[in-house]
Amino acid sequence: MYLFPRIHLPLKAMKAAEAAKTAPDAFYCRRLLNATGIVVVPGSGFGQVPGTWHFRCTILPQEDKIPAVVSRLTDFHKGFMDEFRD
């Protein structure tokens, strides 16, 4: 199953990405990988509309493990948004 969700990043996160010399969606994806081990691909490699941010992922775990993966992703996203709240 492929997903291509749009993420709305706070200005503070976009400034942190700029300071790290990386695109905001790539910054988010790298932080997700480092925090959870979940690998996703920045949407900027797929022709997203300029000024919007996405990531692309493929979910392949056994069906009974999907809720745990979704929970880790949700927890990361909430923490990321709290950290970079404007």
Side-chain angles (χ1 to χ4, degrees):
M1 171 174 41
Y2 293 99
L3 300 174
F4 194 67
R6 181 175 180 178
I7 49 176
H8 298 273
L9 300 175
L11 182 59
K12 191 174 173 183
M14 291 191 281
K15 287 182 179 182
E18 184 179 340
K21 298 182 177 165
T22 189
D25 55 349
F27 179 76
Y28 181 90
C29 293
R30 187 171 301 121
R31 294 283 302 258
L32 175 64
L33 174 63
N34 291 338
T36 67
I38 296 172
V39 178
V40 297
V41 180
S44 52
F46 296 93
Q48 64 191 0
V49 174
T52 66
W53 308 108
H54 301 77
F55 63 85
R56 182 174 185 246
C57 63
T58 305
I59 298 180
L60 297 173
Q62 297 169 346
E63 189 173 337
D64 64 323
K65 297 189 188 230
I66 291 175
V69 173
V70 171
S71 180
R72 286 185 5 231
L73 178 57
T74 300
D75 291 346
F76 166 80
H77 184 75
K78 287 178 182 176
F80 183 92
M81 296 304 281
D82 285 345
E83 179 180 349
F84 292 103
R85 181 172 284 129
D86 293 329

